[in-house]
Amino acid sequence: MRNFVQILVWYRLAKRTGVDPRVPMEGAIHLEIKREFKCSCGRIHKSGIEAYAIGAGAMNTVLQYLEEYACQRPLIVADVNTYKAAGDKLCAILQNGGYTCTQYVLQDEHVEPDERVAGLLMMHYPTATDCIIGVGSGVVNDLCKILSRVSGNPYILIATAPSMDGYASVTSSVVMDGLKWSIEGKCADVIIGDTDILKNAPKKMLIAGLGDLLAKYIALADWRIANLVTGEYYCEEIAQLVRVAVKKCMDNSALLLQRDPVAVEAFFSGLLLSGAAMNYAGITRVASGIEHSISHIWDMRSVAFGTNSDFHGIQCGIGTLYAAKIYDKLRHFVPDKEKAIAYAESFDFAAYSKELSAFIGKGASAMIAREANDGKYDTAKHAIRIQRICAHWEEIRTIIQEEVPPSAEIERILDAIDAPKTCADIGIDHALMPMTFAATKDIRDKYVLSRLCWDLGMINEIDFA
């Protein structure tokens, strides 16, 4: 077996000198995340990541980073599952390096990143702590980002699954007052993806990672269409970074469930690059569109009513297939401006608000209140949007053609890894899909597929079979 230095895919991002590539593993995916760069879009894009290590045995680098940050009293944060996956090994590494292991392990089998759990972390945070080491994936990372921002201490992340793209993102997806929010945290200073750990993640988490990457097809289409319809900021260079990451991952998708190290590394690298792209853009929509909103709606209903939900990436994969089927229909759709205007003028927001409240629970109140600022149902604003939509319809169809694979291709990829394809596959009543889709218009001030369908006056005509 090759020694650690030979097999490690390691790119340190020095604070002043940029990228310092080390020796890559044979067949590895080249990953380059710059601290900052001046873009052709006119902006200077920045990433919060200072260093990352990916490869077999990468967790051994944690001692170097603790020394670099002059940390003496790290706090390990994990949940019961992630601690089993990597916590014991991490403690052994730290103890051999002369560190005392102080840890807080979240005890719930299913941890919801909400006010209660965030508060528990704050209350169990030792005052002498000078570094946070998160061991986990989505939930642990989201909570540690908040903890790092509040405490001001460095944050090192030991990833345990290639399951989602939030590793390198500055935002945390949390539940507050029953509503799923993306709030500002602090991106991990160092991200460590040890393929010896990542390849042993549960099958469902591998499937979740693929689902979160599939979502980028829809996210990029939504983003480009939003730019065309509303004038929202768009950067082609950042979009291209995500396209390249997705292609590399899809090229390796057949080997993912075989736990092939190169495939696992490709997926983790792709997820990492997608998260960095969100930081570069300063918005989540480069990697998050209607499919993420569908997942958030299901999560909110689960919190409010105890209904079924699943891993975020698995839900995103299902949402991607639903969205791709709708985009299939829009490829051949012909807008009817008069019909769209008549639909908007007849829309009863008060009645819809009652329906939304019954569907979402208490989280709906913030969604309804946001309309005062969003104005998405304002008929005058709608008239401007539908005018632009009709004038640029051929460009919208071109965007769909360029960004979104036919739904049959998405379905083939999901079938190849035995992934769920419908909400019914994860225990959610299929009859709820029309209202789920409608509610995604209101969860964020973001122009996504459901808003386009509402603007076209055809949102109630969609068949989710």
Side-chain angles (χ1 to χ4, degrees), residues 383-461:
I384 295 171
R385 292 197 304 272
I386 193 61
Q387 177 67 33
R388 288 189 59 81
I389 291 168
C390 291
H392 296 279
W393 186 248
E394 287 307 311
E395 293 172 69
I396 291 174
R397 290 179 61 187
T398 298
I399 290 170
I400 298 170
Q401 186 67 27
E402 291 177 349
E403 301 291 356
V404 185
S407 61
E409 176 64 14
I410 301 293
E411 193 163 4
R412 183 194 66 77
I413 294 171
L414 293 173
D415 280 337
I417 61 169
D418 195 28
K421 297 188 296 185
T422 71
C423 60
D425 290 341
I426 58 172
I428 297 173
D429 188 351
H430 193 269
L432 300 176
M433 268 311 301
M435 191 58 198
T436 297
F437 186 72
T440 60
K441 304 187 310 304
D442 306 277
I443 197 169
R444 302 277 188 274
D445 184 15
K446 181 187 290 188
Y447 198 87
V448 293
L449 176 59
S450 51
R451 290 198 182 185
L452 175 64
C453 291
W454 188 90
D455 280 348
L456 289 166
M458 49 80 75
I459 191 169
N460 295 332
E461 301 169 11

Side-chain angles (χ1 to χ4, degrees), residues 204 207-208 210-215 218 290-295 298 308-326 407 410-411 414 417-428 430 433 436-437 464:
K204 283 188 69 173
I207 293 173
L210 185 140
D212 209 351
L213 279 162
L214 276 179
I218 305 301
I290 179 72
E291 74 300 320
H292 274 60
S293 295
I294 288 172
S295 177
W298 289 338
N308 290 326
S309 64
D310 212 314
F311 286 128
H312 172 69
I314 287 177
Q315 294 182 162
C316 285
I318 296 169
T320 295
L321 182 56
Y322 280 126
K325 288 181 177 181
I326 297 170
S407 61
I410 301 293
E411 193 163 4
L414 293 173
I417 61 169
D418 195 28
K421 297 188 296 185
T422 71
C423 60
D425 290 341
I426 58 172
I428 297 173
H430 193 269
M433 268 311 301
T436 297
F437 186 72
F464 290 95

Side-chain angles (χ1 to χ4, degrees), residues 45-261:
H45 298 308
K46 298 181 180 181
S47 168
I49 308 173
E50 294 191 354
Y52 51 98
I54 308 174
M59 191 160 65
N60 291 288
T61 63
V62 68
L63 295 178
Q64 173 191 329
Y65 294 118
L66 288 173
E67 182 179 350
E68 187 170 318
Y69 286 108
C71 296
Q72 297 296 322
R73 301 177 183 85
L75 170 67
I76 299 171
V77 178
D79 64 33
V80 291
N81 296 313
T82 62
Y83 190 84
K84 291 176 185 176
D88 285 334
K89 185 176 180 180
L90 174 63
C91 282
I93 291 172
L94 293 179
Q95 288 170 353
N96 288 337
Y99 292 90
T100 300
C101 284
T102 303
Q103 53 203 319
Y104 183 75
V105 180
L106 301 162
Q107 294 300 312
D108 294 344
E109 187 68 25
H110 175 72
V111 181
E112 189 66 47
D114 56 17
E115 307 100 316
R116 181 188 70 85
V117 178
L120 282 174
L121 273 178
M122 300 294 179
M123 293 180 71
H124 288 85
Y125 191 75
T127 56
T129 297
D130 57 9
C131 181
I132 300 159
I133 304 178
V135 179
S137 55
V139 172
V140 168
N141 185 38
D142 282 335
L143 292 168
C144 286
K145 283 189 241 182
I146 297 171
L147 196 60
S148 178
R149 176 176 62 84
V150 173
S151 69
N153 284 324
Y155 169 33
I156 299 172
L157 171 65
I158 311 292
T160 56
S163 56
M164 53 90 216
D165 64 5
Y167 285 120
S169 170
V170 71
T171 58
S172 293
S173 184
V174 298
V175 176
M176 293 192 302
D177 298 324
L179 180 62
K180 196 84 171 187
W181 295 85
S182 290
I183 67 170
E184 185 176 356
K186 179 180 177 292
C187 180
D189 298 286
V190 178
I191 298 176
I192 298 174
D194 191 325
T195 52
D196 288 338
I197 295 169
L198 296 172
K199 70 181 182 181
N200 293 320
K203 177 183 175 180
K204 283 188 69 173
M205 300 196 81
L206 298 177
I207 293 173
L210 185 140
D212 209 351
L213 279 162
L214 276 179
K216 309 323 173 208
Y217 290 126
I218 305 301
L220 292 177
D222 281 2
W223 194 21
R224 288 180 65 185
I225 291 171
N227 169 255
L228 198 60
V229 175
T230 69
E232 179 183 327
Y233 164 74
Y234 170 78
C235 175
E236 177 59 25
E237 286 195 37
I238 293 176
Q240 185 59 20
L241 284 177
V242 175
R243 293 187 194 104
V244 170
V246 172
K247 184 179 186 308
K248 287 178 178 178
C249 292
M250 292 306 114
D251 288 346
N252 286 275
S253 62
L255 298 174
L256 180 63
L257 292 192
Q258 296 179 31
R259 305 182 186 277
D260 177 82

Side-chain angles (χ1 to χ4, degrees), residues 263-280:
V264 170
E265 182 194 325
F267 269 80
F268 185 75
S269 297
L271 291 163
L272 207 61
L273 189 56
S274 294
M278 288 188 272
N279 284 357
Y280 288 148

Side-chain angles (χ1 to χ4, degrees), residues 29-48:
I29 302 301
H30 178 76
L31 176 65
E32 179 179 340
I33 301 175
K34 299 178 181 178
R35 283 294 309 276
E36 65 177 59
F37 66 95
K38 186 171 177 58
C39 183
S40 60
C41 75
R43 295 189 179 187
I44 296 177
H45 298 308
K46 298 181 180 181
S47 168

